[in-house]
Amino acid sequence: MPPPQGTAIAALPPEYRPERAPAELPPRFHRTLVDYPTLEPAGTIIIDTPNTYLYLTISHGKAIRYGIGVGREGFTWSGTERISRMKEWPDWLPPKQMIQRQPYLPRFMAGGETNPLGARAMYLGNTEYRIHGTNQPSTIGTFVSSGCIRLTNEDVEDLYSRVTVGTRVIVLPGANTAASQLRQR
């Protein structure tokens, strides 16, 4: 059950407001078990930015694949981080750089169903980036964020239940697919 809201929905610009009608994701973005041969140990998160997938490796060459929304042009990044903190129904405090680009954003928004971070957030190292839910499921499969990785609320709750603080997260560069990047190791 989400906490009560602290900011009116009308105060948010349209690109941050919750969708009113439930969006039906294309089947390719539904959470599914897939073959995923990798040298990474079970429990590693691998984010395939160009294909908008997040993989949670499990044993025997398998992974759970989730559809994601990723950073728009100029806001993608790559590298390795670890989950440093996890939060249910997180508050949203847009970073200073985001406020400079979009001064109309609220400076704080309490966690809840209308919050753009959705039902769960996993904070990545000391960065401003998170893996989080979304109240706009139609953005899954698109390049839309300021660098965060978003999943449907149902998928972020599932992922959150499977990982812990310290989980390794690999964000692959935009120019390579997950498979070609892994072969280079």
Side-chain angles (χ1 to χ4, degrees), residues 127-160:
T127 73
E128 305 263 341
Y129 301 118
R130 297 170 290 275
I131 298 170
H132 63 77
T134 183
N135 57 22
Q136 297 183 318
S138 69
T139 63
I140 301 304
T142 67
F143 298 80
V144 66
S145 77
S146 292
C148 286
I149 308 302
R150 62 175 67 175
L151 295 90
T152 65
N153 280 333
E154 296 78 18
D155 282 353
V156 82
E157 288 175 9
D158 182 79
L159 180 63
Y160 187 97

Side-chain angles (χ1 to χ4, degrees), residues 86-97:
M86 298 172 63
K87 181 85 171 110
E88 293 185 18
W89 296 105
D91 295 336
W92 183 41
L93 292 99
K96 284 186 272 185
Q97 300 88 342

Side-chain angles (χ1 to χ4, degrees), residues 1 24 44 59 66 74 76 93 109 115:
M1 181 81 166
E24 181 57 39
T44 302
S59 58
Y66 303 82
T76 59
L93 292 99
M109 187 171 186
N115 185 306

Side-chain angles (χ1 to χ4, degrees), residues 32-43:
T32 189
L33 181 66
V34 295
D35 290 327
Y36 194 77
T38 179
L39 300 176
E40 297 300 334

Side-chain angles (χ1 to χ4, degrees), residues 20-94:
R20 297 204 185 274
E24 181 57 39
L25 290 179
R28 74 182 199 96
F29 295 123
H30 291 186
R31 177 181 356 131
T32 189
L33 181 66
V34 295
D35 290 327
Y36 194 77
T38 179
L39 300 176
E40 297 300 334
T44 302
I45 293 173
I46 301 172
I47 296 170
D48 181 354
T49 301
N51 293 304
T52 62
Y53 290 128
L54 180 153
Y55 295 90
L56 175 62
T57 62
I58 54 178
S59 58
H60 308 297
K62 300 281 186 187
I64 300 170
R65 185 182 72 197
Y66 303 82
I68 58 174
V70 298
R72 62 187 180 273
E73 187 174 337
F75 290 91
T76 59
W77 60 282
S78 62
T80 301
E81 289 291 342
R82 291 202 179 267
I83 294 176
S84 57
R85 187 165 65 101
M86 298 172 63
K87 181 85 171 110
E88 293 185 18
W89 296 105
D91 295 336
W92 183 41
L93 292 99

